[in-house]
Amino acid sequence: MLVELNKPLFNARIKRIYDGWNNAKNDEDYSSIADVDALLLLAGDPAGEDEPMKKGTSMQIEGASGPIPVEIFAQAKAKEPANDALPSFLKAYTAHSKVGTLLKETHTGKLAAEWDKLVKEAANRPDLVDMSPAVSAFMAVKDGEELKIIQTAANLTSTLLKHHVAPRLESILDRESKISHAHLAAQIESKLGSGEGDDAKGPDTKIWSKDKRLNDVDWQAVEFCYSPIIISRSSKSGYDLRYTAESTEDNIAHKGVLLVAFGMRYKSYCANVGRTFIVDPTPDQEAQYNLLLGLQSELLSYIKDGVTAKDVYQHALSYVKEKKPDLEKNFVKNLGFGTGVEFRDSSYLLSAKNTRVLKENMTVNLGVGFSGLKVKGEDYALHLVDTIRVGSNGSSILTEGLKSTKDTLFFLTPESEDEKPQKSERKAPVQPRANGTPAKKTAGTKVLRTNRRAAADEVHQTAAAKLAEHQKELHEKLQAEGLAKFSEEGKGTSGKEGKGWKKFQSYKGEGALPPDVDKLRASCALPLSFRLN
């Protein structure tokens, strides 16, 4: 496939690099390249599927899919005779005294090996300076075209969350299906297509067609940022909030806390979400989750152009200390990172010590959470993750949906008397307002279908029991009246005492009965009741 250079876009991004480089002495973000004569970005063979994208590769993609040269040295193609492109480039490289490059990155491949060999054999070599901080700054602020692509990635992520991941998880919990965390993760990935050759299946249109914004998506340019992460209390790896965590082969637990995280990449740009689902939450767990909702809302107002990464973290920590001081020790050590072509840009880590300044039109993977929490002696964690865009007066969420308590908290009816919880004084959970201030209002929750079926069965069983009890009462009443009327102690003749039976006699047929027997005839009433369905 022939790749065409978008010249206006290429020129705009080249200008961004040169502007940052020329002002490097006055801008801390670009200070690492203030004194360099040249910038060198190397690219070897493509990274494997399980390897994160290198920063150098990320910048080349952002710079229109190729290195950013002043003079182009065209390497000969595979079937063409060798030329002097590489030696000529080496000559230009060694002519400089100080060159900025990505010192921590290594590259593989034939061309990379040839380059390393030439550099080692060169008589003169420039001093190398790590320019990673400057490269991060080059890529951090997104232009209009990049923001459109990231919004599409966010739409893909949100659609998959709302129309497959959450409903599928609810179905598993409802039916108590036996399925491993890894299997569910694979099912999620298959919605982009699966199989090869004649067995190949394309994207699942039943899911993606639910969002009209995805009608013009180039599906060849869609992929996952990493394999989806599914964690429950049965995961052998425990509650790991890192994105390097893997879904295990253990079956998903049907109660307790479940964590889900996944990200979608469109045209190399990333968007990411993370959600917590809780089955039969305790009052403390409800309060903790509502605290995360309030904190996220608070941070969306606080994160804006000009605020530093460390100030964001300190503001969040102060919020937690004010609302729930005992949770300070469980609060996450960072609130996320800058994202774009590079999924995780640690230069913009939202941590307590990072002095980087956030700027308008940066995109950030914002994640709040608690780890190391305990309930009945078992560990658990909570998280809430969304991709946001930094604005001049606040931030906006690019990913959307399924975070309120009515979507994430599930309640089940106990299956037996032994499982029913003891009555306790339980206050209604507090649901946060949009500005992060809690409102005194009962939070909505979701009831699984098993609960509704159990409730219906209970109603039917109760009605049947009442009917049987009523019939029993009628029978006992009529029997008592009959015995009272015809017993020796009864008053069966209008208040006059009747004779008791002296002996028993058998007769052959009704005609042989004595005449007085007619006086003993009685009607028999059967208790009947009716129910209209």
Side-chain angles (χ1 to χ4, degrees), residues 291-312:
L291 180 60
L292 291 183
L293 289 174
L295 175 57
Q296 186 192 66
S297 181
E298 175 70 17
L299 290 176
L300 289 174
S301 299
Y302 185 80
I303 297 175
K304 63 187 72 173
D305 183 74
V307 69
T308 64
K310 70 174 186 177
D311 287 343
V312 172

Side-chain angles (χ1 to χ4, degrees), residues 69-89:
V70 175
E71 180 181 353
I72 297 176
F73 298 88
Q75 182 81 352
K77 296 181 180 180
K79 296 182 179 180
E80 296 178 351
N83 60 21
D84 63 347
L86 205 57
S88 297
F89 184 72

